[in-house]
Amino acid sequence: MDRELALEIVRVTEAAALASAQWMGRGKKNEADDAATTAMRTMFDSVNMAGTVVIGEGELDEAPMLYIGEKLGTGNGPEVDIAVDPLEGTNIVAKGHANAMAVIAIADKGNLLHAPDMYMEKIAVGPNAAGKISLDDPIETTIEIVAEANNKRIRDLTVIIQERDRHQELIDRIRAKGARVKLFGDGDVGASIATALQWTGIDLFVGTGGAPEGVISAAALKCLGGEMQARLVPMNEEEEVRCRRMGLEDPRQLLHMEDLVAGDDAIFAATGVSSGEMLEGVKFLGGNLVETHSIVMRAKTKTVRYVKAHHHLDHKPYLNLNI
Ligand code: VTB
């Protein structure tokens, strides 16, 4: 994969963030998502690559753009797999909350998990605990392993988990074990990556969320030396059939890093829409000048770049929405 692609991809997440941020706080999640998707789609068209969306917004019948199987890029250049989440946290943007971002992961063709948009059970840790955990361990055992790896007392360990009824038993067990629980409303890409960024103080991510978000987070964790393990959670016969159609013989198999993001290379890019643990959000500075904050990283070289950019929306009319 060309290293130039990393900087091309960050332009795509910047565009999605710039467009969707204009819907911040307006109570309209679908409009915010559409704005991000359209901007991402438009920018992708100028990137020299032959990309295919392998996991993303849904299948052709349910998503008009950035659907699984859609071809992206000029068609010239490297053949790559793409995982997209144009707006990670549509509700966040609608409500004006923290931690929304536009995210993309790419890898050489065939290297990203090809799966439907459905629920996925996940566990994520940073570099110290990578290689030591298992999604199949009871949560109490995982807490002991991660505490030891991160050289912390269990009472100082922070487990981040999405605030949902489906997680209540897990939350109760984590608290009973003595660790601290940090609940978040939406956006499990940022939450799982936070485990690999020491300054966040977050040690462990657990819970069930979206499969595309899982693959995207796994690419980021590969760049940062962390680990994710996952298992798809088909909710009915139809979802199982969709998994098999995409080549997953056992839809409930335990997915390791190599199954989620194979090979030694991957590129991850994200641009903040609203400020969060990892990134600052889009800031309107007045006079059509807008600031974005992005992170772009590559697994092969482990380079992590923070890109702060100033955009003049006068010169980007396609991103200057008429709201
Ligand atoms: C998950 C999570 C995402 O939405 O998909 C969640 O992975 C949806 O969960 O990060 P519910 O069905 O319980 O609402 C996000 O939080 C945001 O897209």
Side-chain angles (χ1 to χ4, degrees):
M1 214 164 29
D2 278 357
R3 65 178 183 197
E4 284 77 21
L5 263 186
L7 295 176
E8 290 288 331
I9 294 304
V10 82
R11 289 170 58 236
V12 180
T13 56
E14 279 178 356
L18 279 167
S20 55
Q22 294 169 56
W23 285 101
M24 166 71 74
R26 299 185 196 279
K28 299 200 166 149
K29 65 178 198 147
N30 292 337
E31 286 79 352
D33 197 31
D34 283 350
T37 308
T38 305
M40 208 176 245
R41 184 76 189 72
T42 307
M43 286 306 282
F44 262 129
D45 275 344
S46 67
V47 180
N48 274 330
M49 61 175 196
T52 307
V53 178
V54 292
I55 188 160
E57 290 282 273
E59 287 161 63
L60 179 57
D61 49 349
E62 53 194 31
M65 276 189 291
L66 300 177
Y67 56 86
I68 299 170
E70 185 168 348
K71 303 283 178 210
L72 296 174
T74 59
N76 304 314
E79 284 190 293
V80 294
D81 279 357
I82 303 173
V84 283
D85 198 355
L87 183 53
E88 160 68 340
T90 52
N91 273 320
I92 300 178
V93 172
K95 292 182 183 168
H97 285 172
N99 230 349
M101 53 193 179
V103 278
I104 296 173
I106 61 172
D108 286 324
K109 187 178 177 197
N111 282 359
L112 293 183
L113 179 77
H114 187 38
D117 184 1
M118 60 168 56
Y119 279 118
M120 178 185 255
E121 189 188 349
K122 319 168 198 179
I123 184 170
V125 291
N128 292 334
K132 299 177 181 159
I133 50 132
S134 167
L135 182 61
D136 287 339
D137 281 340
I139 187 66
E140 293 79 4
T141 308
T142 304
I143 287 173
E144 285 169 17
I145 292 170
V146 178
E148 193 182 335
N150 287 3
N151 192 24
K152 291 187 183 180
R153 295 177 297 186
I154 288 180
R155 51 174 281 196
D156 297 329
L157 200 82
T158 304
V159 184
I160 193 162
I161 179 163
Q162 191 160 25
E163 189 169 19
R164 292 291 189 275
D165 290 346
R166 61 179 177 269
H167 294 149
Q168 197 52 54
E169 193 210 324
L170 207 46
I171 293 168
D172 293 343
R173 285 171 62 187
I174 296 165
R175 287 181 175 150
K177 183 71 185 167
R180 307 186 312 153
V181 173
K182 182 166 178 164
L183 297 172
F184 66 96
D186 265 302
D188 73 12
V189 173
S192 51
I193 298 172
T195 59
L197 302 169
Q198 211 183 3
W199 42 267
T200 63
I202 292 166
D203 302 285
L204 172 63
F205 165 91
V206 285
T208 299
E213 287 86 346
V215 173
I216 292 171
S217 308
L221 288 163
K222 189 160 206 153
C223 299
L224 293 166
E227 181 180 3
M228 171 169 281
Q229 285 180 23
R231 176 174 280 121
L232 289 165
V233 187
M235 307 289 270
N236 49 43
E237 181 62 28
E238 188 228 323
E239 288 196 347
E240 294 210 14
V241 170
R242 280 162 72 191
C243 285
R244 292 212 184 81
R245 232 191 286 134
M246 290 194 192
L248 292 158
E249 265 168 43
D250 173 10
R252 287 190 177 73
Q253 79 177 87
L254 178 60
L255 300 162
H256 291 273
M257 285 295 269
E258 203 47 30
D259 304 306
L260 296 162
V261 183
D264 64 352
D265 207 4
I267 292 171
F268 170 91
T271 301
V273 179
S274 60
S275 294
E277 216 93 53
M278 183 167 71
L279 289 167
E280 288 179 51
V282 174
K283 292 179 187 150
F284 293 86
L285 302 177
N288 257 344
L289 184 65
V290 190
E291 185 175 288
T292 56
H293 295 255
S294 307
I295 185 172
V296 55
M297 39 196 182
R298 191 172 172 213
K300 197 172 204 163
T301 53
K302 302 278 184 286
T303 310
V304 178
R305 288 189 174 84
Y306 290 92
V307 181
K308 177 174 164 181
H310 279 180
H311 309 263
H312 296 265
L313 287 188
D314 296 343
H315 297 276
K316 295 183 176 174
Y318 56 97
L319 291 178
N320 199 359
L321 308 182
N322 193 12
I323 293 172

